[in-house]
Structures are given as structure tokens and as C-alpha cells.
């Protein structure tokens, strides 16, 4: 682990993440007010998405390059998912913001399903299981509602013929020691793991425009490999905006992960499951007794319930501010906030699950017959 006592790689998070220190560790930059104001002023809606407004998307690489002439539709979006299992609510975040960019700026969106990555990184994952996950994950992503003519879904294994020439170029320029330093590979890492990063960076060259990647900060090591080599290979350096990682139910510092089932909310959870998980596992900033809570108030800074409302489930800034005040003054109790959060999550999931069914015929368009998909297969 680093001297800061936490470690973030695309595959694991150890320790308590300090997001400000992570910016220094990774060498990225903080999104500042001027940049956010510029972005807001260029949107159709003249509004920033709450992820930006509330500092959840907080870091970037070269985002200025896109802001400079964003009016001229000078960028495309690329993001992705590794189909290791079913998706949880944190996984959806980069797709939600990608759709926001598409709505605001009419840009193309490319979505990778990194089946190859999960196969080489997950010891026990079989091809059969991965195929099942892939199908289900594509359906979840289609529920976000992308434009069928401006969006291309592909799986690495199916599209590899087109990705391979670019992947080879990046692979040839990336040494064993760089890969070890950037990704933490060691003598137990397999060959597939060493090559995979070259595949993940290949789609950054799909268009001659700037490629903007909205993704969790855990994915940043890939973009370092891309940025070190892109210009030498005649491509543009990738631009990235990074979201923080939605914490798990049990504490504010970690990352929601599918492997600890009870502390994640999955996109297919029903309202009873949601209620049970929130009541049983959600860490709140409350005091040990009711009297103390009323006297001293709660602590929103460590409260997962408040944090989830802030990140995903309370769209009204006024209501959020009021809740913070009422919590700190001891006017509301943790049980009330948990109930409110559970209702909000259930409403969101119900809408998602309905959209997943309704949009299921669109997956074929995103993959093959939509305008952009057809162009990509030519
Ligand atoms: P994967 O499937 O691990 O995660 C998909 C996306 O979700 C983000 N993420 C989270 N965001 C917020 N809170 C969380 N708790 C949380 N957990 C995961 C990840 O940062 C990621 O953006 N290697 C990739 C697949 C991939 C990809 C890409 C991702 C292929 N090409 C291009 C981003 C951009 C992966 O396994 O993601």
C-alpha cells in the first residue's frame, strides 16, 4: 500500500480513500468553479448535473481542451463496463452522466463491454456465466435511454478485429515495468492481464475528435497508458472526468462492491430487499441514544444515508440542505432518513426496471442497426 495508507486500482480498493490525496497520487487536477461555470453556460439546459454541482465528479485530465470549443461538438464519449456479475447502483453513475453529455451536446457515445477483462481477472468466471452477465448488463445500460443513432454498444470479444490493430500499437509502446508500476501487476499476473489495458484504450481513437471519458477515478491508470503514448502514435490524448466511488452501506470511505452483497444495492433489488438492507446495514451519523441525538444532532459527514441522498437520490438542493440542518440540530432521527432513502431508492429502481424491459428491443440497435453502430461495423 502507498504511504497514504490506501490504494486504488481498477480492480481493488484498500484502506480509506482520501480523494484529495488521490488527485496528487494519480497526477490529475481538481475540477474548479470556473470550469464548471463554463460547462454550465454551454449546456442547452443551462444547468449542471448534480454530480458536477455537488462535487461528486471532482477531478479531470485536460477537460479544458473540450471546454475551449465545446460548441463545435468537438468530442465524443467513451465509457464501459466489465461484466463480472449483475450491476449495482454505483456502476450506473458513468452511464447516467454520459447520457447527460449526449442530451446536452448531441455527442456520440461508445460503450464497451469488457468481457475479456473480466475473464482474465476473475479466477472463477466461465465464458457461459460471462455471456449471461453481458446480456443482462447491456439491458441495464440500455435502460439509461441513449440515442439509438448516436450510440454504439460493443463487447471486446465480438469487436476485437477492429480494436486489435490500435491495441497492438499501444501494447508495443508499453513496457513491462510501466505496466507493473501503473497497474500493480506482479509475478502472479497472467498474460491476459498484461495485454488487456491496450484493448481498453483502443476505443479512445474511434473518432478524430477529443475522446472524453466519464468514469470512476479507479479507471484512471488506463488513461495514463493512453496519454503517455497517444501523440507519438498520431492520436489525441484522452480527456477524462472522474467520479468518486459510491460508498457501500457500511461506511463512507469504501467503494460499493458486488462481492459484499449485503452492502450493495443491485439494480434488480425489489423494495423489500432495499428496505431490509438500508435498515440493517446503512451506517448513519447518529448518536448512541435518542436523547443524545436530540441534544447533539447527527453527523452528515460520516453518514452513508445522507451521502447516498446527496449523490444519487435527492434531486432537490433545497430539500437536501434542509435535511442537513435538521440532522445537525437533532430535529430528525436516523430512522426517518433511512425510511426516506429506502423509498427514494425503490422509486428509482422501479423506474429503472420498467425502462429495462421497455428498452430491451433497443439493444440490437445500439449494437448493430442504429446509424452509429452500422458505421462502426463497416
Ligand atoms: P466496472 O464494470 O468495474 O465499472 C463500471 C464503471 O462504474 C464505475 N464504478 C463506480 N462508480 C461509482 N461508484 C462505485 N461504487 C463504482 N464502482 C464502479 C467504474 O469506475 C466504471 O467507470 N475496466 C472497466 C470497463 C471499461 C471501461 C472502459 C470503464 C472498459 N472500457 C472505459 C470506463 C471507461 C470496468 O471493469 O468497469
Amino acid at each position: 500500500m502507498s504511504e497514504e495508507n490506501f490504494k486504488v486500482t481498477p480492480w481493488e480498493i484498500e484502506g480509506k480513500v482520501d480523494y484529495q490525496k488521490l488527485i496528487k497520487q494519480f497526477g490529475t487536477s481538481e475540477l474548479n468553479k470556473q470550469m464548471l461555470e463554463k460547462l454550465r453556460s454551454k449546456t442547452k439546459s443551462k444547468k449542471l448535473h448534480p454530480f458536477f454541482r455537488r462535487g461528486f465528479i471532482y477531478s479531470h485530465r485536460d477537460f479544458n481542451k473540450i471546454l475551449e470549443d465545446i460548441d463545435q461538438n468537438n468530442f465524443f464519449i467513451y465509457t464501459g463496463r466489465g461484466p463480472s456479475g449483475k450491476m449495482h447502483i454505483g456502476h450506473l453513475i458513468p452511464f447516467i452522466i454520459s447520457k447527460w453529455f449526449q442530451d446536452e451536446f448531441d455527442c456520440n457515445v461508445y460503450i464497451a463491454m469488457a468481457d475479456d477483462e473480466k475473464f482474465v481477472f476473475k479466477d472463477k468466471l466461465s465464458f457461459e456465466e460471462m455471456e449471461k452477465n453481458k446480456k443482462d448488463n447491456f439491458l441495464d445500460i440500455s435502460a439509461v435511454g441513449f440515442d439509438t443513432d448516436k450510440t454504439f454498444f460493443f463487447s471486446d470479444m465480438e469487436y476485437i478485429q477492429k480494436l486489435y490493430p490500435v491495441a497492438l500499437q499501444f501494447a508495443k509502446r508499453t513496457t513491462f515495468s510501466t505496466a507493473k508500476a501503473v497497474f500493480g501487476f506482479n509475478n502472479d499476473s497472467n498474460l491476459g492481464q498484461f495485454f488487456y489495458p491496450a484493448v481498453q484504450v483502443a476505443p479512445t481513437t474511434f473518432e478524430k475528435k477529443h475522446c472524453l471519458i466519464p468514469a470512476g477515478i479507479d479507471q484512471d491508470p488506463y488513461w495514463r497508458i493512453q496519454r503517455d503514448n497517444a501523440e507519438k502514435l498520431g492520436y489525441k490524448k484522452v480527456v477524462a472526468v472522474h467520479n468518486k466511488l459510491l460508498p457501500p452501506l457500511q461506511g463512507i470511505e469504501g467503494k460499493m462492491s458486488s462481492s459484499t452483497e449485503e452492502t450493495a444495492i443491485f439494480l434488480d433489488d425489489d423494495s423489500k430487499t432495499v428496505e431490509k438492507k438500508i435498515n440493517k446495514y446503512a451506517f448513519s451519523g447518529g448518536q448512541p441514544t435518542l436523547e443524545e441525538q436530540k441534544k447533539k444532532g447527527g453527523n452528515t459527514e460520516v453518514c452513508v444515508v445522507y451521502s447516498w441522498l446527496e449523490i444519487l437520490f435527492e434531486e432537490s438542493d433545497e430539500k437536501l440542505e434542509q435535511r442537513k440542518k435538521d440532522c445537525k440540530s437533532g430535529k430528525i432521527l436516523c430512522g426517518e432518513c433511512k425510511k426516506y432513502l429506502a423509498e427514494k431508492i425503490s422509486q428509482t429502481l422501479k423506474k429503472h426496471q420498467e425502462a429495462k424491459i421497455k428498452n430491451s428491443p433497443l439493444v440490437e440497435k445500439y449494437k448493430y442497426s442504429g446509424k452509429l453502430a452500422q458505421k462502426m461495423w463497416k
Side-chain angles (χ1 to χ4, degrees):
M1 231 186 282
S2 74
E3 58 202 21
E4 274 106 4
N5 280 332
F6 64 85
K7 184 173 140 194
V8 176
T9 73
W11 310 286
E12 58 176 355
I13 289 198
E14 281 175 39
K16 295 180 176 176
V17 182
D18 178 327
Y19 284 102
Q20 290 311 319
K21 284 189 181 157
L22 194 57
I23 282 190
K24 287 210 185 92
Q25 215 184 79
F26 278 6
T28 66
S29 308
E30 190 162 11
L31 274 174
N32 62 37
K33 278 202 179 119
Q34 289 92 312
M35 294 173 83
L36 291 178
E37 177 47 28
K38 192 158 188 183
L39 175 64
R40 189 202 61 77
S41 70
K42 304 276 180 170
T43 55
K44 286 186 203 158
S45 67
K46 301 289 169 239
K47 266 196 222 137
L48 278 178
H49 191 281
F51 292 161
F52 283 116
R53 235 169 43 223
R54 297 179 187 168
F56 185 63
I57 298 181
Y58 82 114
S59 153
H60 75 101
R61 285 190 187 269
D62 273 351
F63 191 45
N64 270 323
K65 283 198 180 157
I66 284 181
L67 286 176
E68 271 159 26
D69 53 356
I70 199 163
D71 288 337
Q72 289 148 40
N73 186 10
N74 66 339
F75 70 103
F76 66 98
I77 297 273
Y78 161 48
T79 196
R81 155 77 183 148
S84 51
K86 52 186 184 175
M87 288 173 71
H88 61 58
I89 52 175
H91 289 135
L92 215 53
I93 288 171
F95 300 99
I96 296 173
I97 204 67
S98 297
K99 152 94 170 132
W100 180 82
F101 273 111
Q102 188 171 63
D103 288 347
E104 295 290 356
F105 299 101
D106 296 320
C107 51
N108 286 342
V109 173
Y110 298 85
I111 293 176
M113 190 57 74
D115 39 12
D116 49 349
E117 176 186 25
K118 291 301 150 175
F119 185 72
V120 295
F121 279 95
K122 290 260 158 190
D123 248 1
K124 294 196 178 107
L125 188 65
S126 66
F127 276 140
E128 291 72 32
E129 202 186 332
M130 201 176 57
E131 283 305 318
K132 226 176 70 204
N133 297 341
K134 227 154 71 171
K135 221 168 156 188
D136 185 59
N137 291 183
F138 269 140
L139 286 169
D140 275 317
I141 298 169
S142 71
V144 175
F146 292 98
D147 182 326
T148 47
D149 284 327
K150 290 187 173 157
T151 307
F152 178 47
F153 287 8
F154 61 98
S155 92
D156 288 345
M157 281 171 56
E158 191 182 3
Y159 200 60
I160 193 64
Q161 202 182 349
K162 305 270 189 186
L163 301 173
Y164 201 50
V166 182
L168 279 177
Q169 291 176 308
F170 280 94
K172 189 171 173 176
R173 298 202 67 97
T174 307
T175 63
F176 185 67
S177 64
T178 303
K180 280 202 297 189
V182 173
F183 296 102
F185 292 146
N186 57 39
N187 285 351
D188 294 328
S189 307
N190 64 49
L191 278 182
Q193 292 171 346
F194 267 94
F195 188 74
Y196 172 71
V199 177
Q200 177 149 331
V201 304
T204 61
T205 65
F206 276 174
E207 296 187 15
K208 296 227 166 352
K209 299 174 179 180
H210 287 293
C211 171
L212 169 63
I213 304 202
I217 184 114
D218 60 324
Q219 298 295 310
D220 188 71
Y222 290 109
W223 320 137
R224 265 175 268 163
I225 298 280
Q226 199 276 3
R227 291 171 56 85
D228 281 352
N229 298 300
E231 286 178 345
K232 291 175 215 145
L233 292 168
Y235 302 115
K236 282 195 166 71
K237 280 188 179 180
V238 72
V239 177
V241 287
H242 307 108
N243 60 266
K244 295 178 188 169
L245 301 162
L246 186 74
L249 278 170
Q250 82 270 26
I252 198 88
E253 278 104 1
K255 165 190 160 180
M256 179 179 283
S257 150
S258 315
S259 42
T260 36
E261 286 240 351
E262 49 311 331
T263 60
I265 300 282
F266 292 94
L267 295 175
D268 66 354
D269 280 349
D270 59 25
S271 52
K272 270 213 176 107
T273 312
V274 169
E275 203 184 316
K276 210 169 91 195
K277 284 184 184 171
I278 301 287
N279 284 332
K280 197 159 168 199
Y281 300 109
F283 180 82
S284 60
Q287 303 292 347
T289 66
L290 201 67
E291 276 80 60
E292 274 186 86
Q293 172 78 10
K294 285 190 171 159
K295 217 159 87 196
K296 296 185 185 158
N299 181 2
T300 49
E301 275 84 61
V302 297
C303 177
V304 173
V305 178
Y306 181 82
S307 143
W308 282 21
L309 286 170
E310 184 179 33
I311 296 167
L312 271 175
F313 297 106
E314 179 57 87
E315 47 299 326
S316 154
D317 290 347
E318 292 74 35
K319 282 189 187 168
L320 193 70
E321 201 44 44
Q322 191 59 46
R323 184 166 298 275
K324 192 181 211 167
K325 276 190 197 140
D326 290 349
C327 168
K328 288 193 181 280
S329 70
K331 196 172 161 196
I332 44 168
L333 304 174
C334 299
E336 295 169 54
C337 284
K338 284 187 176 185
K339 187 164 177 276
Y340 183 75
L341 175 65
E343 278 164 14
K344 283 282 195 185
I345 297 177
S346 294
Q347 283 164 14
T348 307
L349 291 187
K350 190 164 172 276
K351 268 198 216 143
H352 175 85
Q353 289 155 8
E354 284 166 4
K356 186 173 173 177
I357 296 170
K358 188 170 148 255
N359 289 0
S360 60
L362 303 186
V363 174
E364 189 277 328
K365 291 204 165 72
Y366 294 131
K367 285 171 86 175
Y368 308 111
S369 67
K371 267 195 196 136
L372 184 61
Q374 282 193 41
K375 194 171 143 214
M376 292 306 288
W377 281 107
K378 260 190 197 142

